Amino acid sequence: MSRPPTFVPPACARARALVTPRGAFAVLDARPRGPRRGTALLLPGFTGSKEDFIVMLEPLAERGYRVVAVDGRGQYETDGPAEQRAYAQHELAQDVLAQAEALRDEGPLHLLGHSLGGQVARAALLTDASPFTSLTLVSSGPAEVSAPQRARIKMLSDALGAMDMATLWTAMRALDPPEDADDPHAGGNREELRQRWLRNSPAQLLATGRQLSTEPDRIAELTALRPRVPFHVVSGDHDDTWPVPLLDDMAVRLGARRTVIADADHSPNTDRPGETSRAVADFWDQCVS
């Protein structure tokens, strides 16, 4: 679970609903004060939310980008159905395309997905690449997650069938290392994190957890979109969800720009948001120059 250091958006951003034909999605919408170079649509990962990008909003807006970070259906402040079939990957991809359509008049549109969000982003791109200027995959690998992560997802899925969300939250927190209690980055905003967890749809968690555990390798399909859509692969220098050498290899296969953020783990967007923002904006600048 990504743990953003704050849930309070910067002055350049506001929380609002992005209305589409497929429903309204809760977003944080950050706008630059000066000329706009483009717009970016940011998709969070498994158990995450739009707040996972909150510390990146201001530096990206300062670089001239309107940034729209979104809660997908069944994530935090976006409602979703109780049926798992509503969260099939093709349904989530259609949601992204609807969000892109709602932003169609906002200049070049860059798509970025973190972890699960990267898999949803590439599914949207493979369905219809025409709305997008670029794709950035942040800590999101070529296929299913690592074996240890698949085991964790199975444990979570089993627990979701036996406990309510509040009881499960308490059980998960009991497993946190003791140092998290005093670490504002790892353990801060506990009530906000709890509320975010409670508002996630269990059906969404079950369906997307299964996707993470069974996703096929679709990199060959993505390479067919070159050179019209450039790719960027970003990760920390350590990742136990998709090992860094695997992400290195994926970038080579994609012909992608590759950025490794030092001293970051699976969520460089929260671990090192300044460095991650610079890398992402530098790539976007190159795409529209």
Side-chain angles (χ1 to χ4, degrees):
M1 176 190 296
S2 292
R3 296 182 178 183
T6 180
F7 274 62
V8 179
C12 65
R14 67 185 180 99
R16 70 179 189 91
L18 181 67
V19 178
T20 81
R22 291 179 64 84
F25 295 86
V27 302
L28 293 174
D29 190 341
R31 302 186 183 228
R33 285 187 288 270
R36 184 181 301 169
R37 294 183 60 85
T39 298
L41 180 61
L42 277 53
L43 312 181
F46 185 60
T47 74
S49 70
K50 59 192 179 303
E51 284 74 19
D52 292 342
F53 303 109
I54 202 164
V55 193
M56 294 178 62
L57 297 177
E58 187 166 27
L60 291 175
E62 289 175 351
R63 292 287 294 266
Y65 292 94
R66 179 186 177 189
V67 185
V68 180
V70 61
D71 287 338
R73 65 166 69 190
Q75 284 184 319
Y76 190 26
E77 294 182 319
T78 298
D79 292 334
E83 297 80 23
Q84 291 186 46
R85 64 178 180 272
Y87 305 97
Q89 191 181 77
H90 70 270
E91 295 288 350
L92 302 181
Q94 289 295 333
D95 287 348
V96 174
L97 293 172
Q99 294 155 14
E101 175 64 17
L103 300 171
R104 68 186 183 280
D105 297 325
E106 300 296 329
L109 181 61
H110 303 278
L111 184 59
L112 180 151
H114 170 240
S115 194
L116 170 71
Q119 293 190 343
V120 174
R122 75 182 189 182
L125 202 74
L126 289 169
T127 302
D128 181 4
S130 63
F132 304 111
T133 300
S134 73
L135 173 64
T136 298
L137 301 172
V138 179
S139 303
S140 186
E144 76 279 2
V145 295
S146 66
Q149 289 298 323
R150 294 198 299 274
R152 292 186 182 99
I153 289 170
K154 185 181 186 306
M155 289 177 60
L156 175 61
S157 298
D158 291 344
L160 284 167
M163 305 180 193
D164 61 38
M165 294 290 280
T167 303
L168 183 51
W169 173 262
T170 300
M172 292 190 301
R173 296 289 65 80
L175 298 176
D176 285 345
E179 60 268 21
D180 275 9
D182 301 317
D183 183 347
H185 181 72
N189 308 301
R190 284 191 177 273
E191 183 54 28
E192 290 90 344
L193 290 168
R194 177 178 177 273
Q195 290 301 319
R196 178 174 72 171
W197 169 259
L198 293 177
R199 295 182 67 176
N200 272 296
S201 162
Q204 180 264 129
L205 294 173
L206 287 165
T208 55
R210 186 165 55 250
Q211 290 168 34
L212 285 168
S213 298
T214 61
E215 178 75 0
D217 189 319
R218 306 190 71 185
I219 299 306
E221 296 173 72
L222 276 182
T223 59
L225 300 176
R226 295 192 324 232
R228 196 192 73 74
V229 180
F231 303 114
H232 187 194
V233 175
V234 179
S235 74
D237 56 8
H238 176 267
D239 196 318
D240 61 2
T241 303
W242 286 280
V244 172
L246 184 66
L247 298 172
D248 293 339
D249 178 70
M250 182 180 76
V252 171
R253 293 170 61 199
L254 280 172
R257 183 166 178 157
R258 178 73 171 109
T259 300
V260 178
I261 305 297
D263 300 318
D265 290 299
H266 183 60
S267 298
N269 42 305
T270 58
D271 294 342
R272 294 289 182 269
E275 294 87 339
T276 305
S277 298
R278 282 193 294 274
V280 168
D282 286 349
F283 171 65
W284 292 343
D285 286 353
Q286 183 184 53
C287 293
V288 299
S289 60

